[in-house]
C-alpha cells in the first residue's frame, strides 16, 4: 500500500494500473516521479526544509495542487537539470508524468478547470540511430554459443534475432503459447499479438525441449527455465546475452538484449519488410515508434547518390 503520497496520487496510479492497464514498471515510475515533483513544490514554496528525500508530501491537499503554475514547473525542470543532473530523456519522462497527472485531474476526475501544463513543451531529444548487430555479427554470435545451457541460450538468441521480442516477452513465453509455427506473445499493457516462427526458431525450440525436460521444471508452463528450474527472469537473460556477446568477440558494452531487438527490426527492414508489418510484429502501439528503425546504412546512401542521373554531369 502507498501511504506516503496524497490520495489523489493514489487514485491517479490506480487509474493507470486498472483502466489504462499500464505495467507495474510504468506505474511505479509515475509514483516516484510525482513524489519528487511534490517534494520540490513544497520546498520551492517555502513549506519544507531539511533533507529533500525526507520531505513529506502525504499532507498535500487539492488546493496546493491547484496553486501550481507553469512557472513553478519550469523551476522544477531547472532543478532536475541543475541539482539532479538528469539528462534530456529523463527530464522528458518527468514532463510526461506531470502532463499525465494534470490531464487526469482536468479531463478524468474534473477536479481542476485549468491545466497548467497545457502549453508545456517536452525537452528536445537528440535523435540517435539505434545500435544494432549487422548480419555477419548476428551469425558470429549464434555460431559461438556454448556452455551448460547452450540449447536454451541459443534458442533465446535465435528468437531475439528472428522475432524482435522484448526481454519481458521472452521471459513470459509458456509452452502452450506455441502452436505449430505461431507464437502467442503477451506484450506491453498485457496486449496479445501473434508472431510466426521461421525454421530457425522452430529448430532451436525443438533442440531445447530435451534440455528443458532434463531439468525437471518446477514451473510446468514456462518455456525458458533458470538453473533453479523456475521461469527465467530478465536479469538472467540480460546476463546471458552479455556473456555470449563477449565470447563471440563482440563488444558487450555496446550491445544488450534490447539491441538484439533493434538488430532483428533492422534486418527485416533491409530485406523488404514494410514498416506497418514491422509495427505489428514488434508490438508497437504507434507507428512513429517503429520508424526509429528505418535507418539506412551508408552503403545504401552511396548507392542512392550514384543512382541519380545528374551525378554523371
Amino acid at each position: 500500500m502507498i501511504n506516503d503520497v496524497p490520495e489523489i496520487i493514489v487514485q491517479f496510479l490506480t487509474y493507470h494500473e486498472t483502466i489504462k492497464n499500464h505495467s507495474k514498471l510504468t506505474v511505479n515510475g509515475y509514483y516516484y516521479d510525482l513524489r519528487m515533483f511534490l517534494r520540490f513544490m513544497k520546498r520551492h514554496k517555502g513549506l519544507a526544509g531539511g533533507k529533500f528525500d525526507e520531505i513529506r508530501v502525504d499532507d498535500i491537499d487539492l488546493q496546493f495542487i491547484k496553486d501550481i503554475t507553469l512557472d513553478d514547473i519550469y523551476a522544477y525542470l531547472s532543478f532536475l537539470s541543475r541539482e539532479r543532473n538528469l539528462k534530456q530523456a529523463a527530464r522528458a519522462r518527468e514532463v510526461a508524468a506531470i502532463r499525465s497527472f494534470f490531464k487526469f485531474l482536468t479531463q478524468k476526475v474534473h477536479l481542476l478547470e485549468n491545466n497548467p501544463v497545457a502549453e508545456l513543451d517536452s525537452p528536445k531529444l537528440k535523435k540517435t540511430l539505434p545500435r544494432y548487430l549487422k548480419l555477419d555479427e548476428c551469425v558470429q554470435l549464434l555460431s559461438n554459443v556454448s556452455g551448460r545451457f547452450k540449447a536454451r541460450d541459443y534458442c533465446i538468441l535465435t528468437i531475439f534475432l528472428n522475432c524482435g521480442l522484448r526481454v519481458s516477452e521472452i521471459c513470459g513465453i509458456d509452452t502452450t503459447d506455441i502452436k505449430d509455427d505461431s507464437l502467442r506473445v503477451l506484450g506491453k499493457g498485457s496486449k496479445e499479438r501473434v508472431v510466426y516462427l521461421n525454421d530457425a526458431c522452430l529448430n532451436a525450440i525443438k533442440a531445447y525441449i530435451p534440455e528443458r525436460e532434463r531439468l525437471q521444471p518446477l514451473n510446468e508452463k514456462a518455456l525458458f527455465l533458470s538453473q533453479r528450474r523456475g521461469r527465467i527472469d530478465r536479469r538472467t537473460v540480460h546476463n546471458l546475452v552479455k556473456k555470449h556477446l563477449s565470447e563471440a568477440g563482440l563488444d558487450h558494452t555496446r550491445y544488450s538484449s534490447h539491441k538484439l531487438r533493434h538488430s532483428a527490426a533492422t534486418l527485416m527492414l533491409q530485406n523488404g519488410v514494410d514498416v506497418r508489418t514491422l509495427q505489428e510484429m514488434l508490438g508497437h502501439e504507434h507507428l512513429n515508434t517503429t520508424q526509429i528503425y528505418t535507418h539506412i546504412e551508408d552503403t545504401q546512401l552511396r548507392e542512392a547518390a550514384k543512382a541519380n542521373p545528374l551525378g554523371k554531369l
Side-chain angles (χ1 to χ4, degrees):
M1 295 294 292
I2 299 172
N3 55 16
D4 61 347
V5 292
E7 178 60 28
I8 191 60
I9 298 288
V10 177
Q11 293 176 22
F12 168 75
L13 299 175
T14 302
Y15 167 76
H16 275 276
E17 186 172 11
T18 58
I19 305 301
K20 299 292 285 184
N21 203 25
H22 284 161
S23 69
K24 288 183 179 179
L25 285 175
T26 298
V27 174
N28 288 342
Y30 281 148
Y31 161 66
Y32 291 117
D33 292 343
L34 292 174
R35 186 178 64 177
M36 181 162 66
F37 172 62
L38 294 180
R39 281 175 172 166
F40 171 82
M41 286 300 155
K42 282 193 74 172
R43 192 183 75 172
H44 180 61
K45 294 176 180 293
L47 299 176
K51 292 183 178 179
F52 182 84
D53 292 334
E54 295 177 1
I55 295 175
R56 284 186 56 194
V57 295
D58 57 332
D59 57 345
I60 286 177
D61 58 16
L62 184 61
Q63 187 58 52
F64 179 94
I65 295 173
K66 285 182 177 180
D67 290 338
I68 294 174
T69 66
L70 185 57
D71 285 340
D72 293 329
I73 294 168
Y74 282 138
Y76 176 61
L77 295 179
S78 178
F79 157 79
L80 294 176
S81 177
R82 294 172 181 269
E83 293 191 38
R84 292 281 164 153
N85 297 316
L86 293 191
K87 302 298 184 183
Q88 289 173 311
R91 297 201 306 275
R93 189 198 68 193
E94 297 280 347
V95 168
I98 294 169
R99 272 185 174 155
S100 184
F101 177 56
F102 279 103
K103 182 180 179 181
F104 171 76
L105 292 176
T106 53
Q107 298 183 18
K108 298 301 177 183
V109 292
H110 306 290
L111 293 176
L112 293 185
E113 291 184 9
N114 299 313
N115 186 343
V117 297
E119 303 299 324
L120 179 64
D121 295 324
S122 290
K124 287 189 176 180
L125 300 177
K126 293 180 181 178
K127 290 186 178 180
T128 58
L129 296 180
R131 289 176 182 166
Y132 64 97
L133 295 174
K134 296 181 180 179
L135 177 58
D136 59 334
E137 292 173 321
C138 293
V139 174
Q140 184 177 337
L141 173 61
L142 291 171
S143 301
N144 286 276
V145 179
S146 61
R148 178 184 172 191
F149 299 103
K150 177 180 178 179
R152 181 200 68 183
D153 295 357
Y154 182 86
C155 188
I156 288 174
L157 294 172
T158 299
I159 292 176
F160 262 134
L161 291 170
N162 282 276
C163 303
L165 267 58
R166 301 178 178 95
V167 178
S168 58
E169 293 169 349
I170 290 277
C171 296
I173 297 175
D174 289 336
T175 55
T176 53
D177 291 331
I178 302 170
K179 298 206 184 301
D180 298 325
D181 65 342
S182 68
L183 171 64
R184 171 187 166 273
V185 178
L186 191 63
K188 278 189 174 181
S190 298
K191 293 179 181 177
E192 291 186 14
R193 69 183 189 278
V194 173
V195 172
Y196 290 95
L197 303 169
N198 56 24
D199 289 343
C201 293
L202 291 171
N203 290 335
I205 293 170
K206 184 178 179 181
Y208 162 62
I209 292 301
E211 178 182 291
R212 180 185 182 276
E213 296 306 315
R214 282 196 299 273
L215 284 173
Q216 297 180 338
L218 294 178
N219 188 320
E220 294 183 1
K221 289 185 176 181
L223 176 62
F224 294 117
L225 304 176
S226 69
Q227 61 181 355
R228 295 183 178 180
R229 299 182 293 154
R231 185 183 298 276
I232 200 169
D233 59 25
R234 295 163 61 98
R235 178 178 293 183
T236 302
V237 173
H238 285 305
N239 289 341
L240 72 87
V241 169
K242 292 285 188 183
K243 170 181 177 287
H244 293 301
L245 282 166
S246 180
E247 291 178 351
L250 300 168
D251 190 348
H252 70 279
T253 63
R254 288 175 51 84
Y255 302 107
S256 63
S257 49
H258 195 66
K259 297 300 184 288
L260 299 189
R261 176 170 160 89
H262 292 334
S263 303
T266 302
L267 289 173
M268 284 185 274
L269 277 171
Q270 290 176 344
N271 286 274
V273 177
D274 65 87
V275 178
R276 289 284 182 183
T277 302
L278 188 62
Q279 176 191 6
E280 180 70 22
M281 188 166 186
L282 296 177
H284 287 158
E285 186 174 356
H286 303 291
L287 185 61
N288 61 356
T289 307
T290 313
Q291 286 173 335
I292 68 167
Y293 297 108
T294 56
H295 47 79
I296 302 173
E297 290 194 23
D298 291 344
T299 52
Q300 294 171 280
L301 292 173
R302 287 194 183 95
E303 290 302 317
K306 291 178 181 178
N308 191 319
L310 296 175
K312 297 180 180 178
L313 287 179

